[in-house]
Amino acid sequence: MGSQSLVADIGPENYRFLQEHIYAQVGIVLDDTKQYLFQSRLAPIVKQLSLGSVNELCAFLHAKYDPAIGQQVVEAMTTNETYFFRDPAHYEAIRTTLLPRLKEERRETRKMRFWSAAASTGQEAYSLAMLLLEEGFKDWNIDIFGTDFSSKVLERARTATYQQIEVNRGLPAAILIKYFRRAGLEWQLNEAARRMARFETLDLRKSMRTLGPFDLVFCRNVMIYFDNETKRKIMKELHSTLFRGGWLLLGGAETAFGLDDLFERTTVGNVTVYVAR
Ligand SMILES: C[S@@+](CC[C@H](N)C(=O)[O-])C[C@H]1O[C@@H](n2cnc3c(N)ncnc32)[C@H](O)[C@@H]1O
Protein backbone atom coordinates (compact mmCIF):
# COMPACT_ATOMS: atom_id res chain seq x y z
CA MET A 1 0.00 0.00 0.00
CA GLY A 2 3.07 2.26 0.47
CA SER A 3 2.27 5.90 1.24
CA GLN A 4 -1.10 5.79 -0.55
CA SER A 5 -3.96 7.31 1.43
CA LEU A 6 -6.49 4.95 3.01
CA VAL A 7 -9.17 7.62 2.61
CA ALA A 8 -11.04 7.64 -0.71
CA ASP A 9 -10.65 10.96 -2.55
CA ILE A 10 -13.76 13.08 -2.67
CA GLY A 11 -15.12 12.73 -6.20
CA PRO A 12 -15.16 15.91 -8.35
CA GLU A 13 -18.95 16.24 -8.29
CA ASN A 14 -19.11 15.79 -4.54
CA TYR A 15 -16.25 18.24 -4.08
CA ARG A 16 -18.12 20.84 -6.13
CA PHE A 17 -21.31 20.13 -4.19
CA LEU A 18 -19.49 20.80 -0.89
CA GLN A 19 -17.87 23.98 -2.23
CA GLU A 20 -21.22 25.29 -3.46
CA HIS A 21 -23.04 24.33 -0.27
CA ILE A 22 -20.54 26.19 1.93
CA TYR A 23 -20.45 29.21 -0.34
CA ALA A 24 -24.25 29.42 -0.40
CA GLN A 25 -24.63 28.99 3.35
CA VAL A 26 -21.84 31.20 4.72
CA GLY A 27 -20.04 32.89 1.78
CA ILE A 28 -16.75 31.09 2.36
CA VAL A 29 -14.74 30.24 -0.74
CA LEU A 30 -12.89 26.93 -0.52
CA ASP A 31 -10.70 26.36 -3.57
CA ASP A 32 -9.75 23.11 -5.27
CA THR A 33 -6.81 22.37 -2.95
CA LYS A 34 -8.79 21.52 0.18
CA GLN A 35 -9.22 17.72 -0.15
CA TYR A 36 -7.37 17.13 3.10
CA LEU A 37 -9.27 19.86 4.95
CA PHE A 38 -12.64 18.47 3.88
CA GLN A 39 -11.58 14.94 4.79
CA SER A 40 -10.26 15.79 8.23
CA ARG A 41 -12.98 18.22 9.26
CA LEU A 42 -15.90 16.17 7.97
CA ALA A 43 -14.61 12.87 9.41
CA PRO A 44 -16.47 13.30 12.75
CA ILE A 45 -19.79 13.86 10.90
CA VAL A 46 -19.14 10.83 8.68
CA LYS A 47 -18.54 8.80 11.84
CA GLN A 48 -21.53 10.22 13.71
CA LEU A 49 -23.82 9.12 10.84
CA SER A 50 -22.11 5.70 10.66
CA LEU A 51 -21.11 6.37 7.04
CA GLY A 52 -17.94 5.19 5.34
CA SER A 53 -16.62 8.32 3.60
CA VAL A 54 -17.19 11.96 2.67
CA ASN A 55 -18.57 10.70 -0.66
CA GLU A 56 -21.23 8.80 1.30
CA LEU A 57 -21.95 11.93 3.33
CA CYS A 58 -22.58 13.83 0.08
CA ALA A 59 -24.88 11.03 -1.13
CA PHE A 60 -26.69 11.21 2.22
CA LEU A 61 -27.23 14.98 1.84
CA HIS A 62 -28.36 14.54 -1.77
CA ALA A 63 -30.84 11.79 -0.94
CA LYS A 64 -32.70 13.79 1.67
CA TYR A 65 -31.35 17.17 2.65
CA ASP A 66 -31.21 17.51 6.43
CA PRO A 67 -30.68 21.19 7.39
CA ALA A 68 -29.14 20.28 10.77
CA ILE A 69 -26.50 18.12 9.09
CA GLY A 70 -26.06 20.77 6.38
CA GLN A 71 -25.34 23.33 9.11
CA GLN A 72 -22.95 20.94 10.85
CA VAL A 73 -21.00 20.56 7.60
CA VAL A 74 -20.72 24.36 7.29
CA GLU A 75 -19.67 24.82 10.91
CA ALA A 76 -17.06 22.07 10.54
CA MET A 77 -15.56 23.88 7.55
CA THR A 78 -15.34 27.35 9.14
CA THR A 79 -12.20 28.35 11.01
CA ASN A 80 -13.02 29.54 14.51
CA GLU A 81 -9.47 30.17 15.67
CA THR A 82 -9.25 33.11 18.07
CA TYR A 83 -7.44 34.07 21.26
CA PHE A 84 -7.31 36.75 23.92
CA PHE A 85 -5.74 40.09 22.96
CA ARG A 86 -5.04 38.85 19.42
CA ASP A 87 -2.96 41.53 17.66
CA PRO A 88 -2.02 43.30 20.91
CA ALA A 89 -1.18 46.48 18.98
CA HIS A 90 -4.91 46.86 18.19
CA TYR A 91 -5.77 46.94 21.89
CA GLU A 92 -2.90 49.34 22.52
CA ALA A 93 -4.23 51.68 19.81
CA ILE A 94 -7.69 51.53 21.40
CA ARG A 95 -6.21 52.21 24.85
CA THR A 96 -3.98 55.10 23.87
CA THR A 97 -6.08 56.83 21.22
CA LEU A 98 -9.73 55.79 20.91
CA LEU A 99 -10.65 55.49 24.60
CA PRO A 100 -9.22 58.87 25.70
CA ARG A 101 -11.15 60.52 22.85
CA LEU A 102 -14.41 58.77 23.72
CA LYS A 103 -13.92 59.49 27.40
CA GLU A 104 -13.88 63.17 26.56
CA GLU A 105 -16.62 63.14 23.92
CA ARG A 106 -18.99 60.98 25.96
CA ARG A 107 -18.44 62.46 29.38
CA GLU A 108 -22.14 63.45 29.57
CA THR A 109 -23.75 60.20 28.42
CA ARG A 110 -20.94 57.86 29.61
CA LYS A 111 -22.07 55.47 26.89
CA MET A 112 -20.03 53.47 24.37
CA ARG A 113 -20.91 50.73 21.91
CA PHE A 114 -18.60 48.16 20.37
CA TRP A 115 -19.11 45.28 17.97
CA SER A 116 -17.11 42.09 17.56
CA ALA A 117 -18.47 41.10 14.16
CA ALA A 118 -16.98 37.59 13.87
CA ALA A 119 -16.82 36.89 17.56
CA SER A 120 -16.20 33.13 17.51
CA THR A 121 -15.88 31.90 21.12
CA GLY A 122 -15.81 35.41 22.61
CA GLN A 123 -12.16 36.12 23.34
CA GLU A 124 -12.18 39.33 21.24
CA ALA A 125 -15.25 40.77 22.99
CA TYR A 126 -14.00 39.82 26.45
CA SER A 127 -10.48 41.16 25.80
CA LEU A 128 -12.12 44.50 25.09
CA ALA A 129 -14.26 44.20 28.24
CA MET A 130 -11.17 43.59 30.38
CA LEU A 131 -9.34 46.47 28.70
CA LEU A 132 -12.26 48.80 29.48
CA LEU A 133 -12.29 47.68 33.11
CA GLU A 134 -8.54 48.19 33.34
CA GLU A 135 -8.94 51.70 31.92
CA GLY A 136 -11.53 52.72 34.52
CA PHE A 137 -14.81 52.45 32.59
CA LYS A 138 -16.47 50.19 35.15
CA ASP A 139 -19.33 52.60 35.84
CA TRP A 140 -19.96 53.49 32.22
CA ASN A 141 -22.79 52.15 30.15
CA ILE A 142 -20.85 49.78 27.88
CA ASP A 143 -22.35 47.51 25.26
CA ILE A 144 -20.11 44.98 23.54
CA PHE A 145 -22.10 43.14 20.92
CA GLY A 146 -20.64 39.88 19.66
CA THR A 147 -22.02 38.11 16.59
CA ASP A 148 -21.12 35.09 14.54
CA PHE A 149 -22.67 32.85 11.92
CA SER A 150 -22.19 29.83 14.14
CA SER A 151 -24.54 29.39 17.10
CA LYS A 152 -22.22 26.66 18.37
CA VAL A 153 -19.29 29.02 19.02
CA LEU A 154 -21.61 31.63 20.53
CA GLU A 155 -22.94 29.11 23.05
CA ARG A 156 -19.38 28.80 24.26
CA ALA A 157 -18.87 32.58 24.21
CA ARG A 158 -21.89 33.02 26.48
CA THR A 159 -20.48 30.65 29.09
CA ALA A 160 -17.28 32.77 29.23
CA THR A 161 -15.52 29.62 30.37
CA TYR A 162 -12.20 28.70 28.84
CA GLN A 163 -9.78 25.81 28.97
CA GLN A 164 -6.26 26.19 30.31
CA ILE A 165 -4.82 26.07 26.79
CA GLU A 166 -7.12 28.95 25.74
CA VAL A 167 -6.21 31.23 28.64
CA ASN A 168 -2.54 30.43 28.02
CA ARG A 169 -2.87 32.12 24.62
CA GLY A 170 -2.56 35.88 24.82
CA LEU A 171 -3.76 36.48 28.35
CA PRO A 172 -1.14 38.00 30.68
CA ALA A 173 -0.94 36.05 33.98
CA ALA A 174 -1.86 39.12 36.05
CA ILE A 175 -5.03 39.66 33.99
CA LEU A 176 -5.96 35.98 34.23
CA ILE A 177 -5.70 36.05 38.03
CA LYS A 178 -7.57 39.34 38.25
CA TYR A 179 -10.55 38.55 36.00
CA PHE A 180 -10.95 34.76 36.06
CA ARG A 181 -11.63 32.15 38.68
CA ARG A 182 -11.03 28.44 38.41
CA ALA A 183 -14.10 26.34 37.57
CA GLY A 184 -12.96 22.72 37.75
CA LEU A 185 -10.39 22.28 35.01
CA GLU A 186 -11.50 25.49 33.30
CA TRP A 187 -11.41 29.22 33.96
CA GLN A 188 -14.50 31.40 34.21
CA LEU A 189 -14.50 35.12 33.50
CA ASN A 190 -15.88 37.32 36.28
CA GLU A 191 -19.35 38.83 36.21
CA ALA A 192 -18.23 42.46 35.73
CA ALA A 193 -16.53 41.63 32.41
CA ARG A 194 -19.15 39.11 31.31
CA ARG A 195 -22.12 41.40 31.64
CA MET A 196 -20.55 43.98 29.31
CA ALA A 197 -20.90 41.57 26.37
CA ARG A 198 -23.88 39.89 24.70
CA PHE A 199 -23.92 37.53 21.76
CA GLU A 200 -26.29 36.85 18.86
CA THR A 201 -26.07 34.87 15.64
CA LEU A 202 -25.67 36.99 12.53
CA ASP A 203 -24.61 36.29 8.97
CA LEU A 204 -22.33 39.13 7.86
CA ARG A 205 -23.82 38.96 4.37
CA LYS A 206 -27.18 40.16 5.70
CA SER A 207 -28.14 43.80 6.12
CA MET A 208 -26.67 45.34 9.26
CA ARG A 209 -28.12 48.81 8.98
CA THR A 210 -30.22 48.59 12.13
CA LEU A 211 -27.41 47.38 14.38
CA GLY A 212 -25.39 50.52 15.00
CA PRO A 213 -24.20 53.05 15.63
CA PHE A 214 -20.96 51.71 17.10
CA ASP A 215 -17.81 53.48 18.19
CA LEU A 216 -15.63 50.56 17.14
CA VAL A 217 -16.17 47.48 15.00
CA PHE A 218 -13.79 44.55 15.03
CA CYS A 219 -14.15 42.53 11.84
CA ARG A 220 -10.96 40.53 11.99
CA ASN A 221 -9.80 37.34 10.33
CA VAL A 222 -13.03 36.59 8.52
CA MET A 223 -12.94 38.69 5.31
CA ILE A 224 -10.05 36.55 4.04
CA TYR A 225 -12.53 33.72 3.46
CA PHE A 226 -14.89 35.73 1.22
CA ASP A 227 -14.72 36.67 -2.46
CA ASN A 228 -14.20 40.30 -3.51
CA GLU A 229 -17.84 41.03 -4.18
CA THR A 230 -18.88 39.76 -0.75
CA LYS A 231 -16.06 41.71 0.92
CA ARG A 232 -17.07 44.98 -0.72
CA LYS A 233 -20.70 44.51 0.21
CA ILE A 234 -19.81 43.74 3.83
CA MET A 235 -17.47 46.74 4.07
CA LYS A 236 -20.30 49.04 2.97
CA GLU A 237 -22.65 47.53 5.52
CA LEU A 238 -20.03 47.82 8.26
CA HIS A 239 -19.60 51.48 7.40
CA SER A 240 -23.32 52.03 7.89
CA THR A 241 -23.06 50.74 11.48
CA LEU A 242 -20.32 53.16 12.57
CA PHE A 243 -20.55 56.64 14.04
CA ARG A 244 -18.75 59.15 11.88
CA GLY A 245 -15.18 58.95 13.22
CA GLY A 246 -15.82 55.41 14.49
CA TRP A 247 -13.10 52.83 14.00
CA LEU A 248 -13.06 49.67 11.93
CA LEU A 249 -10.27 47.22 12.70
CA LEU A 250 -9.56 44.42 10.23
CA GLY A 251 -7.25 41.41 10.52
CA GLY A 252 -3.58 41.68 9.57
CA ALA A 253 -4.07 40.22 6.08
CA GLU A 254 -7.22 42.23 5.25
CA THR A 255 -7.76 45.62 3.60
CA ALA A 256 -10.64 48.01 3.05
CA PHE A 257 -10.62 47.54 -0.75
CA GLY A 258 -9.99 51.11 -1.69
CA LEU A 259 -13.35 52.23 -0.34
CA ASP A 260 -11.77 55.63 0.27
CA ASP A 261 -15.05 57.45 0.00
CA LEU A 262 -16.28 55.55 3.07
CA PHE A 263 -13.17 55.16 5.21
CA GLU A 264 -10.13 57.26 5.91
CA ARG A 265 -7.14 55.00 6.41
CA THR A 266 -4.89 56.13 9.25
CA THR A 267 -2.12 54.61 11.31
CA VAL A 268 -2.02 54.50 15.09
CA GLY A 269 1.32 53.13 16.28
CA ASN A 270 1.80 50.48 13.61
CA VAL A 271 -1.90 49.64 13.36
CA THR A 272 -4.03 50.46 10.32
CA VAL A 273 -7.31 51.97 11.42
CA TYR A 274 -10.23 52.56 9.05
CA VAL A 275 -12.04 55.65 10.28
CA ALA A 276 -15.62 56.06 9.09
CA ARG A 277 -16.20 59.23 7.07
C1 LIG B 1 -11.10 32.93 12.44
S1 LIG B 1 -12.53 33.40 13.36
C2 LIG B 1 -12.07 35.04 13.84
C3 LIG B 1 -12.40 35.35 15.30
C4 LIG B 1 -11.96 36.71 15.78
N1 LIG B 1 -12.57 37.79 15.03
C5 LIG B 1 -10.47 36.84 15.77
O1 LIG B 1 -9.93 37.55 14.92
O2 LIG B 1 -9.81 36.25 16.62
C6 LIG B 1 -13.71 33.65 12.05
C7 LIG B 1 -15.16 33.58 12.50
O3 LIG B 1 -15.98 34.10 11.44
C8 LIG B 1 -17.20 33.40 11.44
N2 LIG B 1 -17.85 33.55 10.13
C9 LIG B 1 -17.51 32.97 8.95
N3 LIG B 1 -18.36 33.34 7.98
C10 LIG B 1 -19.27 34.17 8.55
C11 LIG B 1 -20.42 34.88 8.06
N4 LIG B 1 -20.81 34.80 6.78
N5 LIG B 1 -21.10 35.64 8.93
C12 LIG B 1 -20.73 35.73 10.23
N6 LIG B 1 -19.66 35.08 10.76
C13 LIG B 1 -18.94 34.31 9.92
C14 LIG B 1 -16.80 31.97 11.76
O4 LIG B 1 -17.90 31.23 12.28
C15 LIG B 1 -15.66 32.17 12.77
O5 LIG B 1 -16.11 32.07 14.11
Side-chain angles (χ1 to χ4, degrees), residues 26 28 78-82 86 118 120 124 148-150 202-204 220-222 226:
V26 73
I28 292 176
T78 53
T79 299
N80 303 123
E81 153 125 347
T82 186
R86 184 175 196 172
S120 189
E124 189 170 84
D148 201 283
F149 174 84
S150 161
L202 180 98
D203 184 341
L204 284 171
R220 305 189 305 165
N221 306 301
V222 62
F226 300 139

Tab-separated table of all heavy atoms in Angstrom, residues 26 28 78-82 86 118 120 124 148-150 202-204 220-222 226, ligand 1:
chain	number	residue	atom	x	y	z
A	26	VAL	N	-22.603	30.285	3.857
A	26	VAL	CA	-21.842	31.201	4.716
A	26	VAL	C	-20.952	32.168	3.931
A	26	VAL	O	-20.384	33.100	4.501
A	26	VAL	CB	-21.036	30.367	5.765
A	26	VAL	CG1	-19.865	29.655	5.122
A	26	VAL	CG2	-20.602	31.175	6.963
A	28	ILE	N	-18.173	31.452	2.329
A	28	ILE	CA	-16.747	31.092	2.361
A	28	ILE	C	-16.358	30.372	1.071
A	28	ILE	O	-17.058	29.465	0.621
A	28	ILE	CB	-16.441	30.225	3.604
A	28	ILE	CG1	-16.597	31.084	4.866
A	28	ILE	CG2	-15.049	29.614	3.518
A	28	ILE	CD1	-16.415	30.332	6.155
A	78	THR	N	-15.751	25.975	8.839
A	78	THR	CA	-15.340	27.354	9.142
A	78	THR	C	-14.223	27.320	10.180
A	78	THR	O	-14.194	26.452	11.049
A	78	THR	CB	-16.508	28.213	9.682
A	78	THR	OG1	-17.094	27.533	10.772
A	78	THR	CG2	-17.548	28.472	8.646
A	79	THR	N	-13.328	28.264	10.063
A	79	THR	CA	-12.204	28.349	11.005
A	79	THR	C	-12.608	29.274	12.138
A	79	THR	O	-12.961	30.431	11.908
A	79	THR	CB	-10.966	28.888	10.255
A	79	THR	OG1	-10.673	27.951	9.218
A	79	THR	CG2	-9.764	29.030	11.160
A	80	ASN	N	-12.570	28.759	13.360
A	80	ASN	CA	-13.016	29.540	14.514
A	80	ASN	C	-11.850	30.006	15.384
A	80	ASN	O	-12.056	30.511	16.481
A	80	ASN	CB	-13.966	28.696	15.391
A	80	ASN	CG	-15.164	28.188	14.616
A	80	ASN	OD1	-15.408	26.992	14.542
A	80	ASN	ND2	-15.898	29.108	14.008
A	81	GLU	N	-10.663	29.836	14.881
A	81	GLU	CA	-9.469	30.175	15.675
A	81	GLU	C	-9.531	31.619	16.188
A	81	GLU	O	-9.777	32.562	15.441
A	81	GLU	CB	-8.236	29.998	14.775
A	81	GLU	CG	-7.081	30.865	15.170
A	81	GLU	CD	-5.809	30.070	15.410
A	81	GLU	OE1	-5.894	28.847	15.510
A	81	GLU	OE2	-4.765	30.716	15.509
A	82	THR	N	-9.292	31.774	17.463
A	82	THR	CA	-9.245	33.107	18.071
A	82	THR	C	-8.484	32.986	19.381
A	82	THR	O	-8.289	31.880	19.884
A	82	THR	CB	-10.665	33.675	18.300
A	82	THR	OG1	-10.559	35.027	18.754
A	82	THR	CG2	-11.476	32.866	19.316
A	86	ARG	N	-5.658	39.130	20.723
A	86	ARG	CA	-5.039	38.849	19.422
A	86	ARG	C	-4.662	40.174	18.757
A	86	ARG	O	-5.465	41.111	18.790
A	86	ARG	CB	-6.060	38.111	18.549
A	86	ARG	CG	-5.526	37.678	17.225
A	86	ARG	CD	-6.569	36.866	16.500
A	86	ARG	NE	-6.000	36.121	15.409
A	86	ARG	CZ	-6.672	35.204	14.695
A	86	ARG	NH1	-7.921	34.937	14.963
A	86	ARG	NH2	-6.085	34.561	13.725
A	118	ALA	N	-17.163	39.040	14.126
A	118	ALA	CA	-16.982	37.593	13.868
A	118	ALA	C	-16.379	37.071	15.168
A	118	ALA	O	-15.197	36.806	15.287
A	118	ALA	CB	-16.063	37.338	12.685
A	120	SER	N	-16.610	34.497	17.188
A	120	SER	CA	-16.197	33.130	17.511
A	120	SER	C	-16.522	32.845	18.996
A	120	SER	O	-17.618	33.160	19.445
A	120	SER	CB	-14.717	32.927	17.166
A	120	SER	OG	-14.394	31.564	17.293
A	124	GLU	N	-12.355	37.949	21.703
A	124	GLU	CA	-12.185	39.326	21.236
A	124	GLU	C	-13.051	40.277	22.069
A	124	GLU	O	-12.583	41.318	22.551
A	124	GLU	CB	-12.575	39.373	19.764
A	124	GLU	CG	-12.280	40.627	19.032
A	124	GLU	CD	-12.498	40.396	17.524
A	124	GLU	OE1	-13.645	40.506	17.058
A	124	GLU	OE2	-11.532	40.094	16.812
A	148	ASP	N	-21.791	36.069	15.384
A	148	ASP	CA	-21.116	35.088	14.542
A	148	ASP	C	-22.180	34.312	13.791
A	148	ASP	O	-23.331	34.230	14.228
A	148	ASP	CB	-20.282	34.125	15.402
A	148	ASP	CG	-19.183	33.417	14.608
A	148	ASP	OD1	-19.511	32.460	13.864
A	148	ASP	OD2	-18.016	33.828	14.707
A	149	PHE	N	-21.774	33.718	12.691
A	149	PHE	CA	-22.671	32.853	11.923
A	149	PHE	C	-23.021	31.598	12.725
A	149	PHE	O	-24.133	31.090	12.669
A	149	PHE	CB	-21.965	32.456	10.623
A	149	PHE	CG	-22.716	31.464	9.806
A	149	PHE	CD1	-23.705	31.882	8.934
A	149	PHE	CD2	-22.448	30.108	9.911
A	149	PHE	CE1	-24.413	30.961	8.174
A	149	PHE	CE2	-23.151	29.186	9.153
A	149	PHE	CZ	-24.145	29.614	8.292
A	150	SER	N	-22.055	31.122	13.474
A	150	SER	CA	-22.190	29.828	14.143
A	150	SER	C	-22.780	29.964	15.547
A	150	SER	O	-22.203	30.625	16.418
A	150	SER	CB	-20.804	29.174	14.219
A	150	SER	OG	-20.790	28.175	15.194
A	202	LEU	N	-25.477	36.057	13.626
A	202	LEU	CA	-25.671	36.994	12.528
A	202	LEU	C	-24.784	36.600	11.358
A	202	LEU	O	-23.596	36.334	11.540
A	202	LEU	CB	-25.306	38.413	12.981
A	202	LEU	CG	-25.463	39.469	11.907
A	202	LEU	CD1	-26.783	40.201	12.045
A	202	LEU	CD2	-24.341	40.497	11.967
A	203	ASP	N	-25.372	36.546	10.193
A	203	ASP	CA	-24.607	36.294	8.971
A	203	ASP	C	-24.159	37.650	8.444
A	203	ASP	O	-24.994	38.527	8.171
A	203	ASP	CB	-25.516	35.575	7.956
A	203	ASP	CG	-24.771	35.181	6.698
A	203	ASP	OD1	-23.695	35.745	6.422
A	203	ASP	OD2	-25.298	34.309	5.983
A	204	LEU	N	-22.857	37.833	8.290
A	204	LEU	CA	-22.326	39.132	7.862
A	204	LEU	C	-22.808	39.548	6.478
A	204	LEU	O	-22.680	40.711	6.104
A	204	LEU	CB	-20.794	39.093	7.877
A	204	LEU	CG	-20.145	39.181	9.258
A	204	LEU	CD1	-18.657	38.903	9.165
A	204	LEU	CD2	-20.379	40.555	9.868
A	220	ARG	N	-12.331	41.006	12.207
A	220	ARG	CA	-10.959	40.530	11.992
A	220	ARG	C	-10.911	39.035	11.656
A	220	ARG	O	-11.604	38.222	12.266
A	220	ARG	CB	-10.136	40.801	13.254
A	220	ARG	CG	-10.185	42.281	13.663
A	220	ARG	CD	-9.215	42.605	14.773
A	220	ARG	NE	-9.390	41.769	15.949
A	220	ARG	CZ	-8.490	41.679	16.925
A	220	ARG	NH1	-7.365	42.368	16.860
A	220	ARG	NH2	-8.722	40.911	17.963
A	221	ASN	N	-10.075	38.740	10.690
A	221	ASN	CA	-9.799	37.343	10.330
A	221	ASN	C	-11.024	36.576	9.873
A	221	ASN	O	-11.206	35.407	10.202
A	221	ASN	CB	-9.086	36.640	11.500
A	221	ASN	CG	-7.842	37.418	11.917
A	221	ASN	OD1	-6.955	37.626	11.110
A	221	ASN	ND2	-7.830	37.904	13.137
A	222	VAL	N	-11.879	37.255	9.122
A	222	VAL	CA	-13.029	36.587	8.521
A	222	VAL	C	-13.156	36.966	7.045
A	222	VAL	O	-13.484	36.129	6.219
A	222	VAL	CB	-14.335	36.879	9.306
A	222	VAL	CG1	-14.696	38.348	9.309
A	222	VAL	CG2	-15.485	36.048	8.760
A	226	PHE	N	-13.826	35.345	2.159
A	226	PHE	CA	-14.886	35.730	1.222
A	226	PHE	C	-14.310	36.152	-0.133
A	226	PHE	O	-13.152	36.546	-0.232
A	226	PHE	CB	-15.695	36.913	1.788
A	226	PHE	CG	-16.360	36.632	3.108
A	226	PHE	CD1	-16.377	37.584	4.117
A	226	PHE	CD2	-16.990	35.417	3.351
A	226	PHE	CE1	-16.999	37.334	5.337
A	226	PHE	CE2	-17.617	35.154	4.560
A	226	PHE	CZ	-17.621	36.116	5.544
B	1	LIG	C1	-11.098	32.934	12.441
B	1	LIG	S1	-12.530	33.399	13.363
B	1	LIG	C2	-12.072	35.044	13.843
B	1	LIG	C3	-12.399	35.352	15.296
B	1	LIG	C4	-11.962	36.713	15.784
B	1	LIG	N1	-12.568	37.786	15.026
B	1	LIG	C5	-10.469	36.845	15.775
B	1	LIG	O1	-9.930	37.547	14.917
B	1	LIG	O2	-9.806	36.253	16.617
B	1	LIG	C6	-13.709	33.654	12.046
B	1	LIG	C7	-15.158	33.575	12.496
B	1	LIG	O3	-15.979	34.104	11.444
B	1	LIG	C8	-17.195	33.401	11.444
B	1	LIG	N2	-17.852	33.550	10.133
B	1	LIG	C9	-17.507	32.974	8.948
B	1	LIG	N3	-18.362	33.336	7.983
B	1	LIG	C10	-19.270	34.173	8.546
B	1	LIG	C11	-20.415	34.877	8.058
B	1	LIG	N4	-20.810	34.801	6.781
B	1	LIG	N5	-21.105	35.637	8.933
B	1	LIG	C12	-20.730	35.729	10.229
B	1	LIG	N6	-19.663	35.078	10.755
B	1	LIG	C13	-18.939	34.309	9.920
B	1	LIG	C14	-16.801	31.969	11.760
B	1	LIG	O4	-17.902	31.233	12.280
B	1	LIG	C15	-15.662	32.175	12.772
B	1	LIG	O5	-16.109	32.069	14.106
